[in-house]
Amino acid sequence: MMLPDPVAAPHEATVLLAEKFESIQGEGPWTGQRCVFVRFSRCNLTCGWCDEKSTWDWNRYHPAEVSSHVPVRELVAWVLERDVDLLVITGGEPMIQQPAMIALAAGVGSEVRVQVETNGTQAPQPELRELVDLWVVSPKLSNSGVDYGRRIVPSALKALRSTGRAAFKFVVADHGDFTEIDKLAADFGLDPATIWVMPEGESPAKVTAGVELLRGPAAARGWQVSTRLHILNDVR
Ligand code: SF4
């Protein structure tokens, strides 16, 4: 098939890439599944607690040291060599490079499931919509420090919800966050079965305690709870 136009290179589809690695999915509906992660560089938000600031925070990192343009065909070959059936496209915010996402998702073929991790501020283009098996949408709350108008884009959230293949995953820092999630769920008609809450935390102790705190309020609302396996087990 014809690959879509590249993001930056004129003759070949490329990804502005931060990193790629093989691991297991540590969060959300497909926790524990073997997969490959392809992390796109750059983000359109600036969350205070972001654990991937090397994709966008140029006060701390130099873009040339933490990202590079990689041909999509190289990434496709790398994914297919790994012999796993799950590709996780993450970031940063990968949806700001949709032509590259389309080329990558189409290139790996239907034998490899495609999961996209997104902050939910960008609506998917029709071609991409058809290629993604699971959208893990993480709308940011006020605990991110980002203004509401930047982090909540109604048209994008509605478009992602309408795929019928979206899970909405929220990072919870304290109990007050439940009130915000309740309001977003009501405003955007989110099915409780598609809502996941996950504790903020960069240590096993904090994640374990956080899961315990989330269980009761989540169960009362019919929501799901996600752990963070990569932090509990100190693996990537
Ligand atoms: S949307 Fe995600 S990658 Fe972007 S700043 Fe927020 S936490 Fe970091």
Side-chain angles (χ1 to χ4, degrees), residues 39-40 42-56 90-94 117-121 138-140 144 146 150-151 171:
R39 186 183 309 287
F40 284 27
R42 309 299 190 264
C43 189
N44 59 335
L45 299 183
T46 51
C47 303
W49 44 254
C50 177
D51 53 9
E52 298 298 341
K53 286 187 175 172
S54 62
T55 60
W56 59 267
T90 188
E93 177 44 63
E117 297 182 332
T118 174
N119 61 28
T121 60
S138 296
K140 303 310 174 210
S144 66
V146 178
R150 288 178 63 212
R151 59 185 165 81
V171 176

Side-chain angles (χ1 to χ4, degrees), residues 69-154:
H69 286 284
V70 176
V72 169
R73 63 179 162 73
E74 284 185 16
L75 275 180
V76 168
W78 179 82
V79 171
L80 296 178
E81 282 166 9
R82 302 273 83 72
D83 194 27
V84 294
D85 74 346
L86 175 58
L87 161 65
V88 181
I89 303 177
T90 188
E93 177 44 63
M95 295 284 281
I96 57 181
Q97 298 190 63
Q98 290 198 41
M101 291 178 72
I102 293 166
L104 177 58
V108 298
S110 57
E111 302 287 298
V112 177
R113 291 168 296 146
V114 176
Q115 176 181 346
V116 172
E117 297 182 332
T118 174
N119 61 28
T121 60
Q122 316 286 315
Q125 295 173 6
E127 307 96 299
L128 185 60
R129 190 184 159 105
E130 298 308 313
L131 289 164
V132 173
D133 297 283
L134 176 66
W135 302 91
V136 177
V137 184
S138 296
K140 303 310 174 210
L141 304 178
S142 57
N143 64 32
S144 66
V146 178
D147 290 344
Y148 184 92
R150 288 178 63 212
R151 59 185 165 81
I152 302 298
V153 179

Side-chain angles (χ1 to χ4, degrees), residues 153-177:
V153 179
S155 57
L157 285 177
K158 288 174 186 167
L160 288 159
R161 185 202 59 197
S162 75
T163 64
R165 297 191 299 279
F168 293 86
K169 179 161 64 74
F170 296 90
V171 176
V172 176
D174 62 50
H175 199 269
D177 293 339

